[in-house]
């Protein structure tokens, strides 16, 4: 079987709270791996489980990978309810990745994983991706997403860092050839710059160095004309907070014209990052 759902849950827990809604798991195989820059690794995943994913047309579509510790001896799909109740220490880690490209004809997709080092220097997902071999199986859920460049947009403003490159690349490829706008992408290293297809009227700028460069460059833009402007802004949490202040409070761009959230947080693994979204530290508005 290539797909499963978690064990049926009761309508309410013993404490009277609504039970977790079971999520469909899609199990795909690693088909190939390609290092597209020194710190960006592309995995092509496919198989019959592809049909179980909630395929959508958003350019920021994402899936959540379920990555078990190899020492646990678990194999996908996972009975998450049973693990949560009986062996919580064996629960697979859940990590979110943008779908770089869907291939419906061949039932496969690409995801691009940022690598931060070698071996233990990488996080659990990057380490898994770096070590995964063709034929290895991986469970995932999704896809989610919410942003797509609108054809009626007069001007695009796209802001991101290395983690947002897959979503930005997909967005640029989906734009009308006559689209106009500005793209600002921050990278730590010049050698990770990529050649991205984009409309001639869209200016693409790579900012190499500190993440603060994004804030400074956005603050210097002329943003007084909001008509027909569509903004995509997804970077590290601390920088996202600063950028939101520039875009919403200072430039006064209407909130409904902006897709903005933090893709990650400095010094946090995803479990902590997601949990903190419900706390004051995790909010990007102030």
């Amino acid at each position: 079987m290539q797909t499963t759902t978690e064990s049926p849950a009761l309508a309410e827990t013993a404490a009277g709270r609504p039970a977790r809604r079971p999520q469909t798991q899609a199990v795909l195989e690693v088909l190939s791996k390609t290092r597209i820059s020194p710190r960006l690794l592309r995995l092509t995943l496919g198989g019959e489980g592809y049909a179980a994913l909630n395929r959508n047309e958003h350019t920021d579509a994402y899936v959540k990978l379920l990555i078990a510790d190899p020492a646990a001896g678990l194999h996908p799909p996972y009975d998450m309810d049973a693990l949560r109740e009986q062996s919580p220490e064996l629960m697979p880690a859940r990590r979110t990745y943008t779908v770089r490209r869907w291939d419906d004809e061949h039932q496969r997709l690409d995801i691009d994983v940022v690598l931060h080092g070698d071996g233990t220097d990488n996080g659990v997902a990057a380490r898994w991706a770096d070590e995964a071999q063709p034929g290895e199986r991986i469970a995932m859920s999704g896809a989610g997403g919410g942003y797509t460049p609108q054809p009626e947009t007069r001007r695009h403003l796209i802001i991101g860092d290395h983690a947002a490159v897959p979503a930005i690349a997909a967005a640029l490829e989906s734009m009308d050839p006559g689209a106009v706008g500005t793209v600002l992408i921050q990278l730590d290293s010049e050698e990770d710059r990529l050649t991205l297809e984009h409309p001639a009227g869209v200016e693409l700028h790579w900012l190499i160095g500190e993440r603060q460069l994004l804030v400074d460059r956005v603050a210097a833009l002329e943003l007084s004309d909001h008509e027909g402007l569509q903004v995509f802004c997804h970077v590290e949490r601390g920088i996202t907070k600063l950028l939101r202040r520039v875009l919403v409070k200072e430039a006064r761009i209407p909130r409904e014209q902006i897709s903005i959230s933090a893709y990650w947080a400095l010094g946090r693994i995803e479990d902590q990052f997601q949990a903190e979204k419900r706390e004051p530290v995790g909010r990007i508005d102030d």
Side-chain angles (χ1 to χ4, degrees), residues 258-277:
I258 306 175
S259 170
I260 184 169
S261 70
Y263 265 9
W264 61 287
L266 189 64
R268 298 289 194 271
I269 62 173
E270 182 162 344
D271 299 330
Q272 294 172 306
F273 170 65
Q274 295 293 346
E276 288 177 350
K277 284 185 175 181

Side-chain angles (χ1 to χ4, degrees), residues 58 146-156 174-176 179 228 230:
H58 294 302
Y147 166 81
T148 305
Q150 298 302 311
E152 66 273 17
T153 296
R154 288 179 50 200
R155 182 166 53 120
H156 298 273
S174 78
M175 288 182 183
D176 184 272
Q230 186 181 14

Side-chain angles (χ1 to χ4, degrees), residues 3 6 8 11 30 65 83 86 107 119 127 131 143 175 186-187 225 227 233 254:
T3 64
E6 297 178 20
V30 177
L65 306 184
L83 286 171
Q86 301 168 15
Q107 292 194 310
R127 188 161 58 249
E131 297 173 355
M175 288 182 183
Q186 179 270 333
L187 298 175
D225 182 6
E227 184 178 356
C233 178

Side-chain angles (χ1 to χ4, degrees), residues 5 30 32 120 137 155 248 252:
T5 55
V30 177
S32 65
T120 56
R137 301 165 75 232
R155 182 166 53 120
V248 177
R252 298 186 180 277

Side-chain angles (χ1 to χ4, degrees), residues 235-254:
V235 295
E236 189 276 333
R237 187 171 67 197
I239 299 301
T240 301
K241 291 181 179 182
L242 298 177
L243 287 168
R244 185 188 184 282
R245 187 173 303 143
V246 172
L247 295 169
V248 177
K249 291 198 169 183
E250 297 176 10
R252 298 186 180 277
I253 300 172

